[in-house]
């Protein structure tokens, strides 16, 4: 079964307009983001009572930054230690290569299904669709991912992919869809979250018990020890990581940290920033094959898929520090109103607005290029994202830098109206005499704007009345108010 | 060229001129805890786990009391306490299959470390803790932690762990907040977690 | 101390009253503020839309206009933020070493009005009188880019006759965001109308902020909604007397 796909999504303003018109979505999002913001804030305050959240953020950013600046060596170390621990390491330049590797491993074991731990990277590469094309069903086992998959829907949040759905929508999906792919939901299913979770437990248990191949991502990959780490809540991750005979983990190359001790600031930062918990219910770590325990065949696919593009970007490089906590989504006033689908990617919100252009590159052709180029502008630059980021990614600065890259990528062709306007403004604003001349027409300009142009402003907002004279005219006329 | 060489080549090119050897600021510690073990008990209970504190000679009784009457119980080899009627995983050289494990109601294990500030129990799956699967599939997990295993915070726990082993960090029962951010205890992992916290002599 | 007023392009053209208020307020506090007439704009519209080349001559004009002053005061958190944090980016882009050092010289001397009053002049009671119920919206750039903190509130609390009411979700963006308000007009308005709803809930007669750009957006919504709440710049309240 396949879900939807982000391919062909329109540019942000268009996609956002549709989302903004969905009252249920707006309500679900405001409730969910408000709840999680408050939970996070309580824990940050708690940390500040006994320690220092800002110092913890600095340490978390430092651990990631240090590994990124030394990424070549760290990756080679990781490969060596994983291999020494009995894992097989694969490298994939892009999505197609990674998908082919996973598919070939599954086929080598003759399976027609795999169970999956929630993983952003396998969504990024469209693994489920690729496996389906090879006749292999990929079962999502995280509750929210299950809701998305059963609903033939798209994820709209990094942490809570079904954040756009409320309980009654979820009940309807379970009743209609579970029976199509396995154990049906009970007929008397209610919309109580606990009842819905129990239905998911029963539905997935048979899949866990019979699974031969598990697929995961990793939150962290420790170079020195060859250890992968998966952070989760429900235990579906533990099921997938432990019960199958074969485990394949797809890991973005930016997930590397140097030492086991580096887990410290990160494991203190991630759950608090993400679910607003002191610690998530389950964290699993494993270093290759553990004799007599869990999968005895362990594969790790190290994936680039644009990450080296981002790494080469001096300003944008910091986005690779991201630990996918989604705190930036939850505080973002744009995300709160549009939801995740408008960003046209598995990485929505502020981090998505920088990560997608960094991974894919700006200035690309056609509607797809236009979609990517629209993302750095999908922000009011309010800065709330930077304030909460546990690894101090200065998202507003990266957004502004990417906007310059978008503009630069389109220089040289036929200039857009906007480009001409800014060229004109640059001339006027580099000389106060030209500006003063222009200001004599403020009144006229506003009248014209009201009457004809600036519809995007005036269709919903009044313009202020024009003043009788500009400040500089007043200053000149009155000698700065002294006469 | 292999994908490996491609990627490493691009990484090195991207970082051309970037200095390695970045100085990582030391993560701050929490203020000393007056009662580390008490704090641990509180924080574990905060996840809506059941916390039972007892003297060393009461462990067997408290564990038995945590197990429902007639429950089918699995235990790992080397468990610190005798659980009458329980089956031992790996006894007679035969480990239980996933389906067999699914037929058990409960599991009793020891642990490696307790982390007070976060209310976390860490298993390193050594003797008394068993394979990862046995403390996962049954719906009730009774976990024994000794007071002297409890440390204040995460940075105190990491040096005690051997990275070559697999670890499971457990903070309360299985839970999800995927439906309207409303926390529900119990999805796929054990829906009930009982901590038997053994006080010092 | 030689103090210059950076009135900002939007205040110059649309809100001369805000500039006049800063002048009368500072004179009352004994500062003989000057207005370098060659000033134009901080270049933020260009920088934040991605037109860095176009921003270069504007920043060059800025540093020329304000060279030699000990402090540059502006009634805008956003423009102060641009001068302090973004001019260096533009200067680096220009590759012009002279411009880079001129920016390094000027940038740190740029103060948002409340910073100048509290930090440089050391006053919170500016002798103002304003007998109205007022809700304060901290604009994002003053809050997060500059970190003005509670300075505007400390100033407002000392204004005689003024009743300050708390605005729920005050620190959430109003949705203006420069060209965001036009490029993503629908989202901008959705954010703005949530903000104006909360403003109306306070029962305030006046919404005050330190940036007329945000107030243009919110004021435009409030008048369209016929909400009966007017928007006033912080400087104008602090300049008001009995």
């Amino acid at each position: 079964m396949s879900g939807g796909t982000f391919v062909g999504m329109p540019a942000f303003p268009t996609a956002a307009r549709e989302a903004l018109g969905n009252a249920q979505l707006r309500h679900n999002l405001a409730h969910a983001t408000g709840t999680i913001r408050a939970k996070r804030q309580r824990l940050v305050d708690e940390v500040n009572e006994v320690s220092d959240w800002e110092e913890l953020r600095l340490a978390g950013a430092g651990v990631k930054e240090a590994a990124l600046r030394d990424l070549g060596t760290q990756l080679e170390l990781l490969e060596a230690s994983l291999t020494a621990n009995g894992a097989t390491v694969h490298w994939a330049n892009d999505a197609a290569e990674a998908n082919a590797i996973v598919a070939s491993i599954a086929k080598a074991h003759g399976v027609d299904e795999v169970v999956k731990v929630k993983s952003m990277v396998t969504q990024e590469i469209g693994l489920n669709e690729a496996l389906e094309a090879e006749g292999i069903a990929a079962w999502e086992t995280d509750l929210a991912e299950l809701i998305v998959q059963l609903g033939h829907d798209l994820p709209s949040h990094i942490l809570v992919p079904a954040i756009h759905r409320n309980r009654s929508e979820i009940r309807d999906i379970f009743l209609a869809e579970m029976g199509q792919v396995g154990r049906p939901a009970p007929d008397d299913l209610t919309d109580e979250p606990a009842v819905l979770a129990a239905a998911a437990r029963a539905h997935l248990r048979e899949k866990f018990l019979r699974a031969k191949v598990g697929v995961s991502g990793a939150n962290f990959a420790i170079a020195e020890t060859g250890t992968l780490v998966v952070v989760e809540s429900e235990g579906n991750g533990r099921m997938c990581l432990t019960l199958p005979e074969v485990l394949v983990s797809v890991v973005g190359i930016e997930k590397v940290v140097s030492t086991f001790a580096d887990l410290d600031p990160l494991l203190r930062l991630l759950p608090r920033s993400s679910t607003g918990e002191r610690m998530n219910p389950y964290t699993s770590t494993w270093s290759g094959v553990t004799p007599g325990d869990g999968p005895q065949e362990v594969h790790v696919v190290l994936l680039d898929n644009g990450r080296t593009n981002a790494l080469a970007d001096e300003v944008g490089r910091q986005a690779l520090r991201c630990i996918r906590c989604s705190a930036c989504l939850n505080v973002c006033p744009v995300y709160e109103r549009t939801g995740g689908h408008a960003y046209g990617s598995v990485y929505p919100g502020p981090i998505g607005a920088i990560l997608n252009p960094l991974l894919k590159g700006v200035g690309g052709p056609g509607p797809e290029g236009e979609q990517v180029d629209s993302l750095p502008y999908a922000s009011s630059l309010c800065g709330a994202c930077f304030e909460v980021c546990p690894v101090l990614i200065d998202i507003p600065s990266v957004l502004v830098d990417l906007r310059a890259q978008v503009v630069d990528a389109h220089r040289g062709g036929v200039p857009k109206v906007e480009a001409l306007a800014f060229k004109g403004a640059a001339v006027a604003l580099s000389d106060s005499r030209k500006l003063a001349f222009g200001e004599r027409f403020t009144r006229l300009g506003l009248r014209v704007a009201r009457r004809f142009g600036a519809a995007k402003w005036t269709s919903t907002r009044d313009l202020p009345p024009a003043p009788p004279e500009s400040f500089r005219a007043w200053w000149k006329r009155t000698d700065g108010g002294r006469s | 060229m292999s994908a490996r060489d491609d990627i490493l080549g691009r990484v090195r090119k991207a970082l051309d001129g970037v200095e390695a050897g970045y100085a990582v600021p030391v993560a701050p510690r929490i203020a000393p805890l007056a009662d580390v073990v008490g704090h641990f008990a509180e924080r574990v209970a905060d996840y809506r786990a059941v916390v039972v504190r007892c003297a060393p000679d009461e462990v067997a009784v408290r564990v038995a009391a945590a197990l429902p009457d007639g429950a089918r119980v699995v235990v790992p080899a080397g468990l610190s306490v005798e659980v009458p009627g329980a089956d031992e995983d790996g006894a007679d050289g035969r480990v239980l299959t996933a389906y067999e494990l699914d037929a058990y109601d409960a599991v009793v294990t020891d642990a490696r470390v307790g982390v007070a500030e976060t209310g976390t129990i860490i298993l390193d799956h050594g003797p008394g803790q068993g394979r990862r699967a046995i403390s996962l599939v049954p719906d009730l997990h009774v976990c024994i932690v000794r007071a002297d295993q409890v440390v204040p915070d995460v940075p105190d726990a990491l040096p005690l762990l051997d990275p070559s082993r697999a670890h499971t960090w457990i903070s309360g029962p299985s839970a999800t907040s995927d439906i309207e951010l409303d926390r529900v205890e119990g999805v796929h992992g054990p829906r009930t977690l009982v901590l038997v916290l053994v006080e010092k002599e | 101390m030689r103090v210059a007023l950076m009135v900002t392009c939007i205040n110059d053209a649309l809100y001369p009253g805000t500039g006049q208020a800063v002048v009368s307020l500072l004179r009352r506090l004994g500062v003989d503020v000057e207005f370098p007439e060659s000033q134009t704009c901080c270049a933020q519209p260009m920088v934040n839309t991605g037109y860095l080349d176009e921003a270069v001559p504007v920043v060059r004009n800025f540093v020329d206009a304000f060279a030699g002053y000990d402090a540059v005061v502006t009634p805008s958190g956003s423009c102060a933020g641009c001068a302090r944090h973004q001019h260096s980016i533009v200067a680096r882009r220009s590759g012009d070493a002279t411009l880079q050092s001129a920016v390094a010289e000027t940038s740190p001397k740029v103060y948002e009005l409340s910073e100048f009053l509290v930090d440089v002049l050391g006053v919170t009671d500016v002798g103002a009188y304003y007998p109205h119920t007022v809700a304060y919206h901290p604009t994002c750039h003053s809050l997060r880019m500059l970190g003005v903190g509670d300075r505007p509130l400390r100033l407002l609390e000392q204004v005689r006759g003024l009743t300050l009411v708390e605005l729920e979700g005050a620190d959430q963006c109003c949705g203006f965001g420069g060209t965001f308000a036009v490029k993503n007009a629908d989202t901008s308005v959705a954010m703005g109308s949530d903000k104006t709803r909360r403003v109306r809930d306070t029962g305030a007669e006046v919404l005050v902020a330190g940036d007329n750009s945000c107030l243009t957006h919110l004021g435009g919504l409030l008048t369209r909604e016929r909400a009966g709440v007017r928007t006033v710049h912080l400087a104008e309240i602090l300049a008001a007397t009995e």
Side-chain angles (χ1 to χ4, degrees):
Chain A
M1 65 181 306
S2 69
T5 157
F6 283 111
V7 176
M9 285 283 282
F12 186 84
T14 309
R17 187 177 313 130
E18 194 185 325
L20 289 164
N22 183 339
Q24 182 69 59
L25 177 72
R26 293 274 295 275
H27 178 84
N28 293 356
L29 285 168
H31 169 75
T33 55
T35 303
I36 203 160
R37 279 202 298 270
K39 283 172 77 179
R40 174 194 166 277
Q41 192 56 51
R42 271 201 299 278
L43 282 183
V44 169
D45 293 344
E46 183 184 280
V47 168
N48 280 328
E49 280 168 28
V50 294
S51 184
D52 188 324
W53 182 255
E54 287 310 308
E55 279 183 36
L56 198 56
R57 294 209 301 162
L58 278 168
V63 161
K64 291 289 293 185
E65 186 66 22
L68 284 172
R69 289 186 184 205
D70 187 32
L71 190 57
T73 309
Q74 295 297 324
L75 284 170
E76 284 173 329
L77 251 172
L78 176 67
E79 180 188 39
S81 33
L82 278 168
T83 308
N85 296 339
T88 307
V89 176
H90 310 257
W91 298 74
N93 278 303
D94 54 24
E97 287 184 17
N99 289 333
I101 292 165
V102 180
S104 75
I105 294 166
K107 281 187 186 164
H109 292 274
V111 298
D112 59 5
E113 64 172 6
V114 300
V115 287
K116 281 187 70 199
V117 185
K118 171 171 158 39
S119 121
M120 296 308 298
V121 73
T122 57
Q123 284 180 20
E124 173 193 326
I125 62 177
L127 178 65
N128 293 5
E129 293 72 30
L131 289 177
E132 191 186 13
E134 301 278 348
I136 301 160
W139 306 119
E140 292 292 352
T141 64
D142 169 76
L143 178 53
E145 295 288 5
L146 177 72
I147 295 164
V148 168
Q149 189 176 44
L150 289 175
H152 310 282
D153 197 356
L154 288 166
S156 66
H157 189 277
I158 289 174
L159 173 75
V160 200
I163 198 169
H164 56 290
R165 297 288 197 186
N166 66 15
R167 58 185 72 189
S168 73
E169 294 173 295
I170 294 166
R171 172 181 176 271
D172 294 345
I173 292 169
F174 279 10
L175 280 174
E177 301 288 339
M178 272 184 171
Q180 312 286 320
V181 290
R183 182 171 169 161
D187 293 334
D188 59 353
L189 189 72
T190 69
D191 64 3
E192 269 304 297
V195 173
L196 294 167
R201 176 186 170 96
H203 176 78
L204 286 172
R205 177 91 21 164
E206 61 178 15
K207 292 187 163 68
F208 287 133
L209 295 178
R210 71 173 185 235
K212 294 275 184 290
V213 177
V215 175
S216 82
N219 292 86
F220 308 107
I222 302 163
E224 188 183 63
T225 57
T227 307
L228 298 192
V229 181
V230 163
V231 171
E232 52 132 354
S233 293
E234 296 167 12
N236 65 306
R238 293 176 67 192
M239 292 279 179
C240 297
L241 298 171
T242 314
L243 296 184
E245 296 160 14
V246 181
L247 174 62
V248 191
S249 304
V250 182
V251 181
I253 55 172
E254 85 286 12
K255 294 292 171 193
V256 183
V257 294
S258 179
T259 69
F260 199 71
D262 287 345
L263 286 179
D264 168 42
L266 298 172
L267 286 180
R268 279 196 277 168
L269 287 161
L270 177 55
R272 288 179 170 104
S273 300
S274 151
T275 48
E277 294 168 301
R278 294 189 185 100
M279 193 59 85
N280 49 290
Y282 299 130
T283 296
S284 296
T285 79
W286 71 101
S287 302
V289 175
T290 309
D293 183 353
Q296 296 299 294
E297 184 179 325
V298 172
H299 297 265
V300 178
V301 183
L302 297 175
L303 174 77
D304 183 346
N305 207 36
R307 284 158 179 75
T308 49
N309 288 345
L311 191 67
D313 187 303
E314 220 178 299
V315 179
R317 179 180 296 149
Q318 56 184 311
L320 296 178
R321 295 204 294 253
C322 176
I323 54 174
R324 310 284 188 263
C325 72
S326 65
C328 63
L329 278 62
N330 301 328
V331 296
C332 178
V334 175
Y335 177 89
E336 182 181 331
R337 289 173 182 82
T338 66
H341 292 162
Y343 294 81
S345 159
V346 296
Y347 303 113
I351 188 66
I354 62 171
L355 204 52
N356 290 298
L358 286 165
L359 296 176
K360 297 171 186 170
V362 299
E368 208 173 321
E370 199 191 323
Q371 197 275 332
V372 173
D373 288 358
S374 73
L375 292 176
Y377 293 94
S379 165
S380 62
L381 301 178
C382 81
C385 46
F386 184 23
E387 211 169 45
V388 297
C389 177
V391 288
L392 293 168
I393 301 169
D394 183 354
I395 294 177
S397 291
V398 180
L399 285 166
V400 169
D401 187 70
L402 285 167
R403 290 176 184 190
Q405 293 186 27
V406 170
V407 168
D408 289 345
H410 293 281
R411 286 185 196 273
V414 180
K416 289 190 299 179
V417 177
E418 177 191 282
L420 291 171
F422 275 105
K423 273 193 205 317
V427 173
L429 295 174
S430 56
D431 185 336
S432 60
R433 284 162 300 181
K434 290 179 189 149
L435 179 63
F437 180 76
E439 276 171 358
R440 286 156 57 188
F441 304 105
T442 298
R443 199 184 277 270
L444 176 67
L446 283 173
R447 212 179 309 145
V448 171
R450 261 189 212 98
R451 185 82 188 273
F452 303 107
K456 282 184 175 168
W457 182 278
T458 54
S459 64
T460 45
R461 290 162 284 208
D462 287 341
L463 280 166
E469 62 184 344
S470 69
F471 178 83
R472 74 178 63 238
W474 169 81
W475 182 276
K476 214 178 182 75
R477 184 175 57 77
T478 64
D479 185 24
R482 279 176 281 249
S483 67
Chain B
M1 283 240 295
S2 67
R4 178 184 190 277
D5 295 339
D6 290 339
I7 294 170
L8 288 173
R10 283 196 299 272
V11 166
R12 297 222 146 87
K13 188 156 168 276
L15 292 172
D16 190 31
V18 174
E19 278 176 53
Y22 183 82
V24 179
V26 178
R29 308 296 284 253
I30 55 168
L33 297 168
D35 174 12
V36 177
V37 177
H39 195 66
F40 175 64
E42 263 172 44
R43 290 280 157 103
V44 175
D46 208 31
Y47 293 120
R48 292 184 231 176
V50 180
V51 177
V52 179
R53 299 180 70 164
C54 68
D57 58 1
E58 296 172 325
V59 179
V61 178
R62 295 305 184 104
V63 166
L67 299 167
D69 284 341
R72 290 197 61 198
V73 181
V74 60
V75 295
L79 186 68
S80 62
V81 67
E82 189 74 28
V83 183
D87 296 338
E88 186 180 300
D89 180 49
D92 314 321
R94 205 187 133 277
V95 294
L96 298 163
T97 66
Y99 287 102
E100 285 168 335
L101 270 178
D102 194 38
Y104 285 93
D105 303 305
V107 56
V108 182
T109 72
D110 293 317
R112 176 67 188 86
V113 184
V115 184
E117 180 66 8
T118 60
T120 302
I121 298 163
I122 303 178
L123 308 188
D124 72 0
H125 304 285
Q129 299 168 54
R131 300 182 287 140
R132 284 173 284 171
I134 69 160
S135 46
L136 169 65
V137 179
D139 206 14
L140 165 64
H141 182 190
V142 179
C143 190
I144 303 161
V145 178
R146 296 191 320 272
D148 63 10
Q149 291 180 307
V150 181
V151 298
D153 199 5
V154 173
D156 307 296
L158 287 168
L160 302 176
L161 303 176
D162 171 1
S164 71
R165 308 191 65 89
H167 297 110
T168 306
W169 297 40
I170 299 171
S171 306
S174 155
T176 184
S177 299
D178 279 349
I179 301 168
E180 297 179 19
L181 275 302
D182 202 349
R183 189 179 159 104
V184 174
E185 272 80 27
V187 195
H188 304 295
R191 286 186 282 194
T192 308
L193 174 68
V194 179
L195 165 67
V196 176
L197 181 52
V198 188
E199 310 288 351
K200 293 193 181 92
E201 298 271 357
Chain C
M1 184 169 62
R2 284 189 70 201
V3 178
L5 167 65
M6 189 237 293
V7 76
T8 82
C9 59
I10 177 172
N11 290 328
D12 183 15
L14 295 176
Y15 302 99
T18 298
Q20 289 158 7
V22 176
V23 172
S24 84
L25 170 66
L26 292 183
R27 287 217 183 112
R28 196 167 78 217
L29 297 169
V31 178
D32 183 25
V33 63
E34 298 174 43
F35 177 71
E37 289 186 46
S38 62
Q39 66 179 275
T40 58
C41 168
C42 68
Q44 178 163 227
M46 285 100 176
V47 177
N48 281 355
T49 315
Y51 290 85
L52 285 189
D53 286 347
E54 288 75 3
V56 172
V58 184
V59 170
R60 188 169 280 132
N61 184 75
F62 183 97
V63 294
D64 287 348
F66 294 107
Y69 286 94
D70 301 305
V72 179
V73 186
T74 183
S76 165
S78 196
C79 302
C82 176
R84 289 234 292 266
H85 298 287
Q86 296 182 319
H87 279 188
S88 59
I89 298 169
V90 177
R92 207 173 326 138
R93 165 89 165 201
S94 74
D96 176 349
T98 317
L99 182 59
Q100 289 182 47
S101 62
V103 163
E105 177 76 23
T106 314
S107 287
K109 295 180 189 162
V110 179
Y111 297 91
E112 183 272 338
L113 178 65
S114 72
E115 293 179 313
F116 183 76
L117 294 172
V118 175
D119 299 349
V120 180
L121 298 185
V123 291
T124 49
D125 184 348
V126 297
Y129 173 73
Y130 195 78
H132 299 284
T133 307
V134 171
Y136 169 68
H137 167 59
T139 61
C140 299
H141 288 175
S142 58
L143 195 65
R144 302 197 181 89
M145 215 172 177
L146 295 175
V148 302
D150 63 353
R151 289 176 185 81
L153 286 170
R154 280 153 64 196
L155 290 158
L156 286 168
E157 279 161 4
Q158 300 294 326
V159 174
R160 274 164 281 288
L162 186 146
T163 308
L164 198 59
V165 291
E166 202 179 323
L167 176 62
E168 201 199 314
D171 61 355
Q172 212 181 52
C173 178
C174 72
F176 172 66
T179 46
F180 175 78
V182 180
K183 278 180 177 285
N184 282 286
D186 299 289
T187 311
S188 167
V189 169
M191 289 159 68
S193 55
D194 282 348
K195 178 66 76 180
T196 57
R197 178 172 45 77
R198 284 173 164 171
V199 170
R200 291 201 309 270
D201 287 348
T202 66
E205 312 161 61
V206 173
L207 174 66
V208 62
D211 278 275
N212 274 331
S213 49
C214 305
L215 288 180
T216 302
H217 168 67
L218 291 173
L221 287 165
L222 285 165
T223 57
R224 183 65 60 92
E225 293 163 5
R226 308 289 181 255
V229 182
R230 66 182 184 281
T231 50
V232 177
H233 192 281
L234 177 68
E236 294 172 44
I237 290 182
L238 298 180
T241 50
E242 256 178 284

